[in-house]
Amino acid sequence: MLNNKVSKAVRLAIAFGAVSTAAFSSSSFAAEEDELEKIERVQVTGSRIRSAEAMSSAPIQVVSGEAIDASGSLNIQNLLLENPAFGSPAISRTNSNFSTASAGVATVDLRNLGSNRTLVLVNGRRYVSGVPGSSAVDLNTIPSQFIERVEIMTGGASSVYGSDAVAGVVNFVLKDDFEGVEFEGQYGESSEGDDESRQFSFTSGLTTGDGKGQAMFHLGYSDQGAVFSRDRERSAVDQFSGIYFEDDPAANPGSIFEAVNPFFSSFPPQGRFDAGDTRFTYDPNNNLQDSFSTNGGDGIDANGFNRSGVRTIAIPTERYLFASNGSYELTDKHSFFFEGTYASSTTISELEPFPFASDDIYANGRVPIEFDVNGEMLRNAFVPDDIYNAATDTDGDGARDIFFAKRLSDVGNRGARAERDTFRLAVGFQGEINDSWFYDTYYVYGKTKESQVSGGLVNVQSFRQGLEAVIDSQDLDGDGITDEAICIDATARGFNCAPVNIYGFNSLSQGAIDFVSAPSTLSTSVEQEIIGGNVSGDLFELPAGMVGIAAGFEYREEFSRSEFDALQQAGLNAGNAIPATEGSFDVTEYYIEANIPVLDAVTMNAAVRLSDYSTVGNTESWNVGVDWEVMDSLRLRATRARSTRAPNIDELFSPPSQTFPSGLNDPCLGVTNSGGGAVGDACRADVGVANNIASNGEFTLNQSDLQGISGFNRGNPDLKEEVGDSVTVGVVFTPEELISGLDVTLDYFDIEITDAIVSTPRQFILDQCYGGGDDSFCSFITRRSGPSGNNSAGSLEFIDSGVSNSGGLGTEGVDLTLTYSADIGPGAFRTRLAYTYLIDGYTIPLPGADKDEFAGEIGASEHKANWNLGYKLDDFDFNWSMTYIGAADFDDQFLSGFGIPAGGVGIGSVTYHDVQASYHISDSMELYAGANNLFDKEPPRILSGVSGSSTGTETDAGTYDPIGQTFYVGFRSKF
């Protein structure tokens, strides 16, 4: 009878969820009988109770090792994203080039509820974060070739695992029973000749002579090359959505796809100079001209700068990985175990040179071009005669001045080289107390360090000192009168000040570049320590079977520090002002879980966890579930859970940190002297907006205004925990007698989070301030009172946002999975369909506010699916995977700013095809080859300026493939 139960448990685990999202082994059932003697009790993700009937009342999906091999993915993130249960990742190799930190990290996000609400485990235990201040794990640090399987449980699981499991759990189970030696190598590149990738790995396992000890070791190396915006036609030239320039966007919502091309930057490397009433620049031959046109027109060539010529779509990422695990039997029933992981990764981001202007240096934005030196008025050493003669004294200090804007190409491209190291060690003891009781105790230590050096930035104070330079006609340095330029400031000269020439192409001397350059540095550290223990077993017997129980405790400490150099913290290197963030917390938790056989065919499970945080105090999580075997071919399951998430270190302790948001729509755009209702009244009340209207007849914005909005993000030490309530109800159908090999699951899910910890959206702040009925939000907005350098009067300068326990966050939908396997012809056929229908998804920015629906919007399509087909014939295996992302609408808040109703304009569906074929040329050697995005499907057109566009890609690069068709070949050799 035990074997029958184990057989059913194994079969059901494979059929009802333990199948790959991309491929699965056709030999799983054949291997089942061989495993019966080994398996006495098994444990599934979502429970700590070992049982021969290890069925979960919550939906669980499993990505097998065979699926990982069949995907050809160098990073497990790419494979997981094919599963429709996952949303667009917050950070990936293709959407983080502009991040000031953590560029190239790979995270996952279940149900589009945020990476911080998806708990990542390794062998059932927490894994140290790869993103400072958060709980998000960097999947770059988990070696794909060392993964036995990935178990994915959606819905609340805090009662079993603790905080952060509000959306669900992703549990990476590493190999632990491998013997022998395995080599693997792979090479690939895109059809465009870029995105070169290569990986090599070595895995070995051994057992001691007496059979008591075993250990495994894995060494891996992977390298993924860069992809640049200039190498894709859709993103080779700077462009901007035409919706901003449409007279009546509501009448022509399709203008959102009409690119204004080119839409160059008005910060050119040759410089742009406003002197008096004349704007000067230099032509391509470096000749001064008294006209300037950013994008060309009226007979004038374009003088602006194409930023897309420098930007990066995919960040090059290099990784070295080491993993090991093992165990040793101390007695027949007690053993010691260990797990060790070390990952070293290097990422290199690259973007356009810094756009530098007068107002980055001088408060009034005016640069003097003559100076009173010892009672004599001397002109700037480099200013051309035409600019000098046209200039006037605009600030009343008695000296002529100008305004300039210049792309610092001489200093070099901006970008960062980040080196990250992650170390994790888990040790412990496990064993049997008696035949029905088991225990394990463990200690886990993890640490992630990052060292980042960013280039292309300058010391603002040094740049000013270098600008204030004259011909040394007074022997200022005591070396005699010369016709050479010299810095006026004697103290600066003592620090090797070199005069700065801003006029024309390649104008800065090497000495000036060396003097003003100020590479930025970032140092981060994340540490995690855990001590815990569990005990599980049979408590007593009911008529329907034994009551299983598990109980345990866990003590955890988390620490994070993120610190830029002093110039970056103060914003004096022309970059974002980002102060240091440091914080820590600890938590002590206790839980108890029970599995109760109510009837022969009905089992209930329940769990409760009590936690005591040093930050938010006591919290409580629980879940109740039921599994009912209606008949051999039909099971019903349901779970009700309450999960909690305590605020992370960034959310609690982050000081004001500067950012440059995009995709915002100014409600005042187009407002005139009268009309416009509440929006018009609120806009005209601002002095700068009124001045703009007075000058132009209506409120207008230029290119710099649209691209130059800044703001500060703030943490909140008064945050409390958020609470998530989830319900899942499902049916499992396995009609063996009707259609052998067919398995169907259908699950409904509903997750609602109250007091959700979120930053107030900036568009929400704007809409509330201007006509939304809550002018208190206006305090977060700063507009320019008058024209300032490149920017217009009334244009947005800062929109600040802070973290709070908002009104809520939720999602609702249905998951369908269908698997079928059978012998067809001379081989074995297999197929699997995974489909998710998103019924609802929303955020509530603040208590009492209306829901902001995201279901059906870009990144959260209503319909998503993955369909996999495979066929195995002798030594040949073929796999075809199709990933479908349904049609989606643009963000409704973004559209509302243009008078377009929610759902008024969107993008179509996309289907990606991936294939792989493998062939065993011998028992120890396998060759394989594959293609991803086989038909080179272009991503949807989401232009710059539109909510959801990833800078430099002209699409949402976290949701869609911005690289295109790629091919790869590889081998595996086992001895």
Side-chain angles (χ1 to χ4, degrees):
M1 185 167 71
L2 175 61
N3 279 355
N4 288 337
K5 288 186 175 183
V6 174
S7 174
K8 182 178 289 187
V10 173
R11 183 179 295 275
L12 290 173
I14 294 172
F16 299 167
V19 289
S20 161
T21 60
F24 50 92
S25 171
S26 59
S27 62
S28 296
F29 294 109
E32 173 193 334
E33 297 299 328
D34 294 336
E35 294 297 314
L36 294 182
E37 296 302 320
K38 301 177 184 177
I39 300 175
E40 294 183 355
R41 295 170 182 263
V42 293
Q43 179 177 303
V44 297
T45 295
S47 173
R48 295 193 183 274
I49 298 174
R50 300 186 185 188
S51 171
E53 286 280 12
M55 296 307 302
S56 172
S57 58
I60 297 175
Q61 298 185 50
V62 176
V63 180
S64 67
E66 290 90 346
I68 297 171
D69 290 343
S71 71
S73 296
L74 273 66
N75 189 309
I76 192 65
Q77 180 195 51
N78 298 329
L79 177 59
L80 293 181
L81 292 181
E82 295 180 0
N83 186 321
F86 287 94
S88 299
I91 312 176
S92 72
R93 197 169 69 98
T94 56
N95 70 0
S96 58
N97 185 58
F98 278 74
S99 300
T100 55
S102 301
V105 164
T107 64
V108 287
D109 178 357
L110 278 169
R111 304 297 189 199
N112 279 301
L113 295 178
S115 299
N116 285 330
R117 298 181 183 92
T118 300
L119 179 60
V120 174
L121 308 172
V122 171
N123 290 337
R125 289 178 281 271
R126 286 177 176 267
Y127 196 85
V128 63
S129 171
V131 180
S134 81
S135 61
V137 171
D138 181 7
L139 301 190
N140 282 318
T141 66
I142 301 176
S144 299
Q145 293 78 22
F146 202 55
I147 298 172
E148 178 70 26
R149 63 187 183 276
V150 186
E151 299 174 346
I152 304 159
M153 174 185 156
T154 60
S158 290
S159 58
V160 177
Y161 298 110
S163 185
D164 309 323
V166 178
V169 170
V170 181
N171 183 23
F172 293 88
V173 180
L174 303 183
K175 297 176 181 178
D176 64 357
D177 60 354
F178 180 86
E179 288 195 26
V181 176
E182 177 180 274
F183 295 93
E184 182 171 352
Q186 180 177 312
Y187 174 82
E189 64 178 51
S190 78
S191 58
E192 299 291 335
D194 52 18
D195 194 37
E196 287 189 75
S197 64
R198 53 184 60 84
Q199 69 97 356
F200 306 96
S201 68
F202 165 81
T203 304
S204 67
L206 54 87
T207 303
T208 60
D210 58 8
K212 291 185 176 182
Q214 66 86 217
M216 288 186 61
F217 304 92
H218 173 85
L219 292 172
Y221 169 81
S222 67
D223 184 19
Q224 295 172 277
V227 177
F228 293 102
S229 303
R230 60 179 177 267
D231 294 325
R232 296 296 182 271
E233 183 178 353
R234 69 175 182 277
S235 57
V237 177
D238 254 356
Q239 52 198 300
F240 210 73
S241 173
I243 196 170
Y244 287 93
F245 308 97
E246 182 68 29
D247 292 335
D248 187 2
N252 183 23
S255 61
I256 199 170
F257 301 109
E258 297 171 1
V260 177
N261 185 334
F263 197 73
F264 292 149
S265 166
S266 60
F267 288 74
Q270 72 273 20
R272 167 170 57 86
F273 310 92
D274 293 339
D277 297 326
T278 306
R279 175 164 288 181
F280 294 88
T281 191
Y282 287 79
D283 66 18
N285 296 317
N286 220 19
N287 297 312
L288 187 67
Q289 63 183 45
D290 59 359
S291 61
F292 179 88
S293 176
T294 302
N295 299 306
D298 297 328
I300 304 175
D301 293 334
N303 303 124
F305 177 75
N306 180 24
R307 296 166 299 176
S308 291
V310 183
R311 289 174 169 173
T312 306
I313 290 177
I315 296 172
T317 303
E318 185 179 34
R319 299 184 296 165
Y320 294 89
L321 299 169
F322 169 77
S324 177
N325 60 40
S327 63
Y328 187 80
E329 292 184 10
L330 302 174
T331 68
D332 290 342
K333 294 188 176 182
H334 306 281
S335 62
F336 167 80
F337 70 88
F338 74 91
E339 302 165 7
T341 304
Y342 173 75
S344 175
S345 63
T346 301
T347 60
I348 301 174
S349 60
E350 185 175 4
L351 55 152
E352 65 271 13
F354 194 85
F356 202 57
S358 300
D359 48 7
D360 290 319
I361 312 172
Y362 295 87
N364 61 5
R366 309 307 299 181
V367 178
I369 57 172
E370 55 183 3
F371 311 91
D372 185 346
V373 181
N374 299 324
E376 181 182 0
M377 192 65 75
L378 302 179
R379 61 185 282 180
N380 178 275
F382 306 108
V383 60
D385 290 341
D386 288 352
I387 294 179
Y388 178 81
N389 293 330
T392 60
D393 175 16
T394 63
D395 57 9
D397 66 353
R400 302 186 195 203
D401 54 64
I402 63 171
F403 177 89
F404 85 89
K406 184 180 178 70
R407 182 76 52 178
L408 297 182
S409 299
D410 296 358
V411 177
N413 293 337
R414 283 178 293 166
R417 178 185 178 91
E419 296 182 353
R420 303 185 185 96
D421 296 288
T422 298
F423 168 77
R424 179 179 182 267
L425 175 67
V427 295
F429 298 91
Q430 59 187 8
E432 301 178 25
I433 299 173
N434 55 41
D435 291 341
S436 62
W437 283 87
F438 307 87
Y439 78 92
D440 68 279
T441 61
Y442 54 88
Y443 168 77
V444 180
Y445 175 80
K447 184 171 185 175
T448 297
K449 296 193 303 179
E450 177 177 344
S451 177
Q452 176 178 295
V453 178
S454 302
L457 302 174
V458 297
N459 184 321
V460 173
Q461 293 176 332
S462 296
F463 206 99
R464 176 171 177 166
Q465 292 166 344
L467 272 179
E468 297 178 351
V470 296
I471 298 298
D472 190 13
S473 60
Q474 297 183 3
D475 190 17
L476 296 177
D477 59 2
D479 292 339
I481 295 174
T482 68
D483 58 358
E484 295 181 355
I486 188 172
C487 298
I488 296 173
D489 190 303
T491 301
R493 292 199 302 271
F495 288 94
N496 299 315
C497 177
V500 172
N501 178 6
I502 59 174
Y503 302 97
F505 290 99
N506 304 313
S507 57
L508 272 69
S509 67
Q510 187 58 52
I513 294 172
D514 294 340
F515 179 65
V516 301
S517 293
S520 174
T521 61
L522 168 66
S523 175
T524 72
S525 179
V526 181
E527 289 187 76
Q528 180 186 77
E529 280 193 272
I530 305 171
I531 299 174
N534 306 284
V535 60
S536 66
D538 295 334
L539 192 61
F540 56 83
E541 187 171 10
L542 294 176
M546 295 298 296
V547 173
I549 192 171
F553 78 96
E554 188 171 271
Y555 173 77
R556 175 165 53 98
E557 292 183 356
E558 301 272 2
F559 167 82
S560 177
R561 176 181 57 81
S562 178
E563 186 173 12
F564 283 91
D565 60 273
L567 283 177
Q568 180 84 62
Q569 291 188 43
L572 293 177
N573 64 355
N576 302 16
I578 306 177
T581 298
E582 181 173 320
S584 64
F585 68 85
D586 62 77
V587 55
T588 303
E589 303 181 281
Y590 302 91
Y591 82 94
I592 187 168
E593 178 188 3
N595 196 52
I596 307 167
V598 180
L599 300 171
D600 286 342
V602 179
T603 301
M604 290 187 62
N605 54 69
V608 63
R609 175 177 288 253
L610 303 177
S611 306
D612 182 12
Y613 287 85
S614 61
T615 51
V616 298
N618 296 323
T619 68
E620 177 183 306
S621 303
W622 53 263
N623 74 270
V624 177
V626 62
D627 180 79
W628 176 22
E629 185 179 8
V630 181
M631 60 183 73
D632 286 344
S633 61
L634 182 65
R635 299 179 76 103
L636 302 178
R637 59 191 180 191
T639 300
R640 175 80 166 85
R642 168 159 291 186
S643 296
T644 59
R645 185 179 79 87
N648 61 40
I649 290 171
D650 254 3
E651 291 166 338
L652 287 168
F653 305 117
S654 177
S657 300
Q658 192 174 17
T659 185
F660 290 86
S662 60
L664 297 174
N665 177 34
D666 191 335
C668 296
L669 189 63
V671 168
T672 61
N673 279 312
S674 62
V679 175
D681 293 340
C683 290
R684 286 187 292 270
D686 184 273
V687 174
V689 174
N691 290 337
N692 186 304
I693 295 172
S695 299
N696 303 297
E698 66 177 53
F699 183 71
T700 61
L701 297 172
N702 63 36
Q703 184 170 332
S704 295
D705 299 330
L706 295 172
Q707 300 171 335
I709 303 172
S710 181
F712 289 83
N713 294 326
R714 292 175 171 83
N716 182 356
D718 296 323
L719 290 173
K720 61 181 180 179
E721 73 279 5
E722 60 182 27
V723 178
D725 289 311
S726 64
V727 174
T728 60
V729 180
V731 57
V732 181
F733 183 50
T734 56
E736 282 290 319
E737 296 182 358
L738 295 176
I739 306 176
S740 178
L742 175 65
D743 308 302
V744 182
T745 69
L746 183 67
D747 290 284
Y748 165 82
F749 63 87
D750 183 14
I751 304 173
E752 297 183 359
I753 303 171
T754 56
D755 297 321
I757 302 169
V758 297
S759 294
T760 306
R762 284 179 165 81
Q763 190 64 55
F764 178 82
I765 292 172
L766 283 169
D767 294 341
Q768 287 295 305
C769 172
Y770 299 103
D774 191 346
D775 58 9
S776 65
F777 283 92
C778 297
S779 63
F780 297 102
I781 300 170
T782 302
R783 290 184 180 271
R784 298 176 178 91
S785 59
S788 177
N790 298 291
N791 299 109
S792 308
S795 58
L796 292 166
E797 184 173 11
F798 299 109
I799 308 175
D800 298 337
S801 180
V803 180
S804 64
N805 291 101
S806 82
L809 179 67
T811 187
E812 177 187 14
V814 175
D815 290 329
L816 169 69
T817 63
L818 182 152
T819 66
Y820 176 71
S821 60
D823 292 334
I824 297 179
F829 171 78
R830 60 189 186 270
T831 185
R832 180 179 192 268
L833 172 68
Y835 164 72
T836 295
Y837 169 50
L838 185 59
I839 299 172
D840 193 16
Y842 63 87
T843 60
I844 301 176
L846 287 175
D850 294 334
K851 287 183 178 181
D852 176 16
E853 301 284 346
F854 66 73
E857 294 182 350
I858 294 172
S861 296
E862 288 185 351
H863 304 280
K864 294 177 66 177
N866 177 260
W867 188 18
N868 192 273
L869 300 166
Y871 193 78
K872 182 175 177 60
L873 176 63
D874 297 328
D875 293 323
F876 175 80
D877 202 349
F878 177 77
N879 196 76
W880 188 305
S881 177
M882 289 165 279
T883 302
Y884 172 82
I885 304 173
D889 301 321
F890 288 98
D891 178 72
D892 56 2
Q893 285 197 358
F894 177 81
L895 294 178
S896 68
F898 296 96
I900 302 173
V905 61
I907 58 176
S909 63
V910 174
T911 302
Y912 295 112
H913 298 261
D914 304 330
V915 296
Q916 187 191 86
S918 64
Y919 182 73
H920 286 269
I921 61 176
S922 69
D923 291 340
S924 61
M925 177 66 73
E926 176 187 6
L927 301 179
Y928 63 91
N932 295 323
N933 195 354
L934 178 65
F935 301 115
D936 202 18
K937 180 68 175 179
E938 277 285 305
R941 190 177 178 88
I942 307 174
L943 296 171
S944 295
V946 177
S947 177
S949 179
S950 301
T951 304
T953 69
E954 306 303 331
T955 190
D956 177 356
T959 302
Y960 304 100
D961 175 20
I963 297 174
Q965 185 184 62
T966 58
F967 300 96
Y968 61 89
V969 295
F971 74 91
R972 299 184 187 96
S973 181
K974 301 178 182 179
F975 302 95

